[in-house]
Amino acid sequence: MTATQPQTTQANAQTRYEVRRGDLPLSCPLPSMALWNSHPRVYLPIEADGGESDCPYCGAHFVLVD
């Protein structure tokens, strides 16, 4: 028997990410990203920013799609 590990994505692999309200509160890097090679986690006020927000560390652009 093998243990199933959660699927992770590479941090900061893209410059634009689409997120949904179910993903809120929004943080960069996203919870599914490996943190060992990224920056400190920062929470982004995407709803207050009109549905789009940029990470001050890596410049990733997040868009709220629903």
Side-chain angles (χ1 to χ4, degrees):
M1 237 180 179
T2 60
T4 304
Q5 294 185 354
Q7 185 176 8
T8 60
T9 58
Q10 180 180 350
N12 311 358
Q14 302 174 38
T15 57
R16 184 178 189 274
Y17 296 90
E18 292 185 350
V19 293
R20 302 191 177 282
R21 293 193 187 279
D23 299 322
L24 301 180
L26 175 62
S27 66
C28 185
L30 295 169
S32 63
M33 295 176 178
L35 292 178
W36 66 269
N37 64 348
S38 192
H39 55 72
R41 178 164 283 149
V42 60
Y43 287 89
L44 305 171
I46 195 165
E47 290 180 300
D49 289 344
E52 296 190 21
S53 192
D54 293 326
C55 175
Y57 286 104
C58 67
H61 182 72
F62 294 90
V63 178
L64 190 61
V65 293
D66 70 351

